[in-house]
Amino acid sequence: RNLRSPSEYASENAVTEQDGGRFFDDYVNWSRIPEYEDLVRNSPAAKIAANAMQSQRAQLFHDHVLVKEPSTPKPTPWHADNPYYFIGGVQNVSMWMPLEPVQDNTLRFIAGSHKWKHDVRPVSWADDSDFYEDDAPWIDVPDPDGKDRDTMTVLEWAMEPGDCVLFHFRTVDGARGNQTEERRRALSVRWLGDDCRYLERPGRTSPPFPGHGMREGERLREDWFPVLYREE
């Protein structure tokens, strides 16, 4: 359904004609695609997120679908989600769920990266250009399979449909291309906890949520970002 009717935020991620394949992703579709809304409202996801965040509430930030068609060598670049978002606070969690079995094309993490002093520099997935024009003390995008191999530990797990991995927004993650003959679909759902507040960034965030009207330090507006779990 999402592929047939992409949103304004949908992207085709720099797959060259020589490489072949297709790497599609899209954001913020829960309010227009009923299967996504059913998941966030009626599954245990919100409660699981609150428990993981040690939070009394779980507020939906957004959904994110990623589809790599068969024989798509384009990887998901190493990155951390946090610097792309306008979120301040430490109580957050992302849930990543595959819709097919994944092994070599599963999600990968740099162990302990959520505790690094600074965030990893955010760059465009399309051309590796800087996402913001600023001089913040970013950490350069790491290369744990190359020059940083001896100083970084990569964690990854084979997963089946129904499995879910939870990780902090500051965790550096990535994924290999899909070299199998099967489509690889995955859905991420991002959640916010008690201490999360709106944070100004030096440019357009991803997702951008234009016209939100929020101010620095405020909780995110609940008509756009509903609180779907509260501890009784």
Side-chain angles (χ1 to χ4, degrees):
R1 187 191 295 267
N2 202 159
L3 286 167
R4 289 196 305 267
S5 178
S7 80
E8 61 182 309
Y9 300 137
S11 297
E12 301 285 350
N13 290 291
V15 174
T16 66
E17 184 175 343
Q18 181 178 1
D19 289 337
R22 182 189 187 191
F23 180 9
F24 169 92
D25 76 304
D26 200 0
Y27 295 93
V28 196
N29 290 294
W30 69 269
S31 62
R32 71 181 189 92
I33 294 181
E35 290 86 350
Y36 294 161
E37 184 165 16
D38 182 48
L39 170 70
V40 298
R41 290 193 183 278
N42 299 320
S43 79
K47 183 176 182 179
I48 292 170
N51 290 338
M53 297 184 293
Q54 299 182 23
S55 172
Q56 293 184 336
R57 59 188 239 157
Q59 184 173 18
L60 177 65
F61 186 30
H62 67 86
D63 55 274
H64 183 192
V65 66
L66 305 103
V67 180
K68 291 181 181 177
E69 298 290 359
S71 302
T72 299
K74 171 73 176 179
T76 304
W78 289 105
H79 69 284
D81 295 337
N82 197 65
Y84 294 92
Y85 298 161
F86 51 48
I87 301 298
V90 299
Q91 287 175 295
N92 62 65
V93 70
S94 184
M95 295 178 163
W96 190 90
M97 298 163 275
L99 277 71
E100 287 80 28
V102 291
Q103 188 165 359
D104 292 337
N105 53 356
T106 191
L107 198 59
R108 311 173 73 209
F109 304 92
I110 298 179
S113 53
H114 64 298
K115 295 182 179 180
W116 290 353
K117 183 176 180 180
H118 300 296
D119 280 326
V120 168
R121 179 182 300 279
V123 298
S124 167
W125 287 11
D127 58 12
D128 294 327
S129 61
D130 285 346
F131 201 76
Y132 304 121
E133 294 182 4
D134 73 336
D135 56 357
W138 305 113
I139 296 172
D140 288 338
V141 177
D143 181 14
D145 295 314
K147 65 181 178 62
D148 299 318
R149 183 189 304 271
D150 294 336
T151 60
M152 296 179 181
T153 299
V154 174
L155 303 176
E156 58 184 302
W157 300 273
M159 298 172 68
E160 297 287 333
D163 290 340
C164 178
V165 62
L166 281 69
F167 58 99
H168 195 272
F169 289 178
R170 296 194 71 231
T171 304
V172 180
D173 63 280
R176 301 181 185 90
N178 179 20
Q179 303 287 14
T180 74
E181 296 305 312
E182 302 293 331
R183 170 183 279 177
R184 194 217 74 172
R185 298 169 296 173
L187 180 68
S188 282
V189 183
R190 279 76 188 242
W191 299 93
L192 310 174
D194 295 332
D195 75 343
C196 288
R197 300 292 188 273
Y198 175 71
L199 174 69
E200 288 284 351
R201 290 291 191 184
R204 175 185 170 98
T205 59
S206 176
F209 297 106
H212 56 71
M214 294 179 292
R215 296 182 180 181
E216 180 105 27
E218 293 181 341
R219 286 190 185 273
L220 270 61
R221 51 186 296 176
E222 294 187 20
D223 55 338
W224 287 24
F225 307 96
V227 176
L228 298 180
Y229 174 80
R230 283 186 170 89
E231 186 176 297
E232 295 181 359

